[in-house]
Amino acid sequence: MRQTRAITEGAVMLAVFTILLLITLYFPILSLISTFFLPLPFFLYNVRHSEKNSLPFFLAALVLSFIVGNVVSISLAFTYGAVGWTMGWLVKKKESWNTTLLVSSLVFALSTVIQYAIAVTVFQFDFIKETMTLVRSSYEQSIQLLKRLGQQPPADMMNQINDMLELIQTLIPSFIVMASIMAVFFIQLILFPIVRRFQVEVPKRTPFRNIQMPKNILWYYLVTLVLTLVLNPEKGTTMFWVLFNLATIFGLLLFIQGCSFLLYYRYQKKLPTVFSFIFVLFALLFLPLVRLLGIIDLGFDLRKRIQTKA
């Protein structure tokens, strides 16, 4: 009876996923919304059934995505299916909202990297390299057009453009991590209320002011900075690439810690709500200062000091 129910629900969820996938593939405007719902069938199925049944469901979705679509559809099914499966597994284990966000973001980022590796090794297509080449070519054509119109661009303009493109290419891993966290954040924000309507107990979102990064993040960041100063890796080397991205990611997490502290301070001091917007604007304008505030908050536990004074 239980197996029959698993098969029936699996067929229904596969039908829902197929509809969402077709909308995403063939309706560009609607795809901006439907993309966030793609993990829903995997999420619901895994949270209500065992992993023994969920794995065949995931594989069936991959096969079905190939039948109704193309390589892009398989990519969508793999990424969002893995994220939905992970969310269902974590919710079933009663993990917190933040833990679900971090682990699911890691899965999203890993699936992106795996697909990129497959594209480069199997299909001989490096879309990052191709994009950089296309952008550089566009800039070169723009400079040539300016010269034909009798305007002389700055002598070091092309060097500045090349430096900027190299920086962007170096930070690709950081961009993937940031994009993964943002995507999964909105997916959880949309799907959790929907899943709750199916009598599934999902964790409540932690208020941003109460977000606390693990203290290990502070030490990882400091070790990364020390290694960067001691080793002084040459630009373009693998060591430079690794340390630069680690420093960027850890720095971003500490910036979030600083923003969280500012909102926590407003809440504890019972300041008007408008101060939340003022603090956010301040954080965006003075990013290094807010990151330093995050470091101090983690290192010296400023929140407890505020509570004591309060």
Side-chain angles (χ1 to χ4, degrees), residues 5-26:
R5 181 187 171 190
I7 294 173
T8 303
E9 287 193 9
V12 172
M13 291 298 171
L14 282 174
V16 172
F17 171 71
T18 304
I19 293 170
L20 290 170
L21 184 62
L22 290 172
I23 292 173
T24 304
L25 288 173
Y26 300 110

Side-chain angles (χ1 to χ4, degrees), residues 64-297:
L64 195 60
S65 65
F66 177 74
I67 294 173
V68 302
N70 47 36
V71 176
V72 175
S73 62
I74 297 176
S75 174
L76 289 171
F78 182 77
T79 299
Y80 290 95
V83 170
W85 191 95
T86 303
M87 284 183 179
W89 178 67
L90 292 168
V91 167
K92 194 158 51 177
K93 289 187 171 294
K94 310 294 184 184
E95 296 291 350
S96 67
W97 206 93
N98 289 340
T99 299
T100 305
L101 172 64
L102 291 175
V103 177
S104 300
S105 299
L106 179 61
V107 170
F108 195 107
L110 284 175
S111 67
T112 303
V113 172
I114 289 170
Q115 292 175 69
Y116 172 70
I118 292 173
V120 173
T121 56
V122 177
F123 299 103
Q124 304 296 314
F125 178 67
D126 188 338
F127 64 88
I128 294 177
K129 186 178 179 181
E130 293 293 332
T131 302
M132 291 296 105
T133 301
L134 181 63
V135 172
R136 188 174 283 106
S137 176
S138 298
Y139 276 117
E140 289 175 351
Q141 290 176 11
S142 299
I143 290 173
Q144 292 299 324
L145 180 61
L146 285 174
K147 289 180 178 179
R148 290 196 193 100
L149 294 174
Q151 298 184 22
Q152 187 63 31
D156 60 342
M157 183 177 178
M158 200 59 213
N159 290 332
Q160 292 176 358
I161 291 172
N162 286 328
D163 290 341
M164 181 189 69
L165 293 177
E166 285 179 13
L167 177 63
I168 292 173
Q169 195 164 356
T170 301
L171 285 173
I172 289 295
S174 298
F175 293 149
I176 291 175
V177 171
M178 295 175 201
S180 298
I181 293 173
M182 290 298 297
V184 173
F185 175 82
F186 285 112
I187 288 171
Q188 287 189 194
L189 208 61
I190 294 169
L191 295 191
F192 274 30
I194 296 173
V195 172
R196 194 176 287 119
R197 291 181 175 272
F198 287 87
Q199 309 302 318
V200 175
E201 186 181 348
V202 295
K204 292 183 179 179
R205 182 167 63 89
T206 306
F208 186 79
R209 66 177 179 272
N210 291 333
I211 290 178
Q212 279 274 68
M213 297 295 168
K215 289 189 180 293
N216 291 342
I217 295 293
L218 175 58
W219 296 110
Y220 296 154
Y221 182 65
L222 293 176
V223 168
T224 302
L225 293 183
V226 169
L227 287 175
T228 303
L229 291 173
V230 172
L231 299 178
N232 192 22
E234 186 179 346
K235 190 176 179 181
T237 61
T238 303
M239 183 59 69
F240 175 85
W241 179 78
V242 171
L243 291 176
F244 194 70
N245 279 281
L246 286 176
T248 302
I249 294 170
F250 293 144
L252 175 64
L253 294 176
L254 290 169
F255 170 74
I256 293 173
Q257 177 75 24
C259 292
S260 173
F261 173 78
L262 288 173
L263 297 184
Y264 181 84
Y265 178 84
R266 184 209 69 81
Y267 180 80
Q268 288 294 324
K269 297 300 181 181
K270 296 181 173 55
L271 298 175
T273 307
V274 69
F275 275 86
S276 295
F277 299 99
I278 294 173
F279 284 155
V280 170
L281 181 62
F282 173 83
L284 294 175
L285 292 175
F286 300 97
L287 191 149
L289 189 60
V290 175
R291 183 171 59 222
L292 178 61
L293 183 61
I295 293 173
I296 297 171
D297 182 30

